Amino acid sequence: MEKIRVFDKNFSLFISNEEIEKRIKDMAQKMSLDLQDKNPLFLGILNGSFMFAGELFKSLDIDCGISFLKLASYDGTSSSGKIKRLIGLNEDIKDRTVVILEDIIDTGITIDHIVKQLKGYEPAEIKIATLLIKPEAYNDSYKVDYFCFDIPNDFIVGYGLDYNGFGRNLKHIYKISD
Ligand code: IMP
Ligand code: MG
């Protein structure tokens, strides 16, 4: 389907499922080479990364683990206002290689929160992997080690990414068209 409607907006086909899965397999191959003796722990950031993480994990042929984290918003007392706390980390990551799995890096604010908090647990190293990145919007605060697609600054939906709670189940990725 080329054109779809999600909630109250129109979207058109942008990246097919076949293309997505091919790029993810390429990424998994590269990671398997880079990280083969490290027993890395992959950390999927919920909700958006669940499909990407699942597809990637199937194609990794090295010793590794996976866990999922979530950023919970709450109103902190600091002057900067909203603080986002990372929840769900049950594993000991001290001295371990961790690989963050994000659905999309836009401004980079989310990845900043995640990396800063993970550093507190003293992992051996932190790698960043994302399905999509919007280079025009990204603040470049951390090096992105792996990405499948760099895309323009348009809103997209599908393959785990939502618009207003809808569209995560779409197998292709769609770009907003109005
Ligand atoms: P950042 O903090 O600006 O980098 O934004 C990252 C988060 O915003 C992602 O994890 C997504 O949940 C959401 N996001 C950014 N761009 C899009 C988009 O085009 N479609 C759906 N969600 C997006
Ligand atoms: Mg997200």
Side-chain angles (χ1 to χ4, degrees):
M1 252 205 307
E2 288 286 312
K3 298 210 176 297
I4 58 164
R5 196 163 171 82
V6 179
F7 192 57
D8 60 353
K9 296 219 174 343
N10 297 311
F11 290 81
S12 55
L13 183 63
F14 183 43
I15 310 172
S16 73
N17 182 267
E18 296 68 34
E19 248 183 290
I20 297 167
E21 294 195 348
K22 193 197 162 294
R23 290 287 183 94
I24 295 175
K25 286 198 177 75
D26 292 346
M27 183 189 276
Q29 232 174 40
K30 190 166 189 308
M31 285 174 166
S32 296
L33 279 177
D34 292 352
L35 307 171
Q36 51 186 325
D37 299 316
K38 295 187 166 175
N39 182 23
L41 180 67
F42 289 83
L43 295 174
I45 309 302
L46 294 173
N47 293 323
S49 78
F50 74 97
M51 274 197 202
F52 166 50
E55 188 61 33
L56 180 84
F57 204 61
K58 282 193 287 182
S59 297
L60 293 166
D61 55 7
I62 55 171
D63 286 335
C64 57
I66 192 165
S67 192
F68 289 88
L69 305 177
K70 197 160 186 149
L71 274 176
S73 300
Y74 66 95
D75 294 313
T77 50
S78 81
S79 54
S80 60
K82 270 235 163 78
I83 299 167
K84 285 191 160 185
R85 194 165 54 93
L86 201 55
I87 57 171
L89 186 64
N90 301 318
E91 288 76 8
D92 181 12
I93 61 167
K94 191 168 184 327
D95 300 326
R96 194 160 180 196
T97 293
V98 298
V99 185
I100 300 167
L101 301 178
E102 257 289 28
D103 51 355
I104 186 165
I105 296 177
D106 185 5
T107 62
I109 290 170
T110 306
I111 204 78
D112 278 2
H113 281 296
I114 296 165
V115 172
K116 282 201 186 97
Q117 290 180 55
L118 286 179
K119 276 187 172 167
Y121 298 95
E122 300 176 36
E125 57 181 338
I126 300 174
K127 303 267 185 201
I128 300 174
T130 185
L131 178 64
L132 301 135
I133 184 165
K134 294 178 178 172
E136 287 162 42
Y138 185 42
N139 61 17
D140 277 325
S141 52
Y142 295 104
K143 175 174 167 252
V144 176
D145 300 278
Y146 304 94
F147 64 89
C148 291
F149 300 97
D150 52 349
I151 62 167
N153 222 349
D154 302 309
F155 192 80
I156 57 161
V157 73
Y159 205 81
L161 288 105
D162 75 304
Y163 167 50
N164 210 12
F166 293 93
R168 291 196 199 273
N169 54 315
L170 296 163
K171 65 185 286 190
H172 308 299
I173 290 174
Y174 296 83
K175 186 157 89 175
I176 199 156
S177 56
D178 60 14

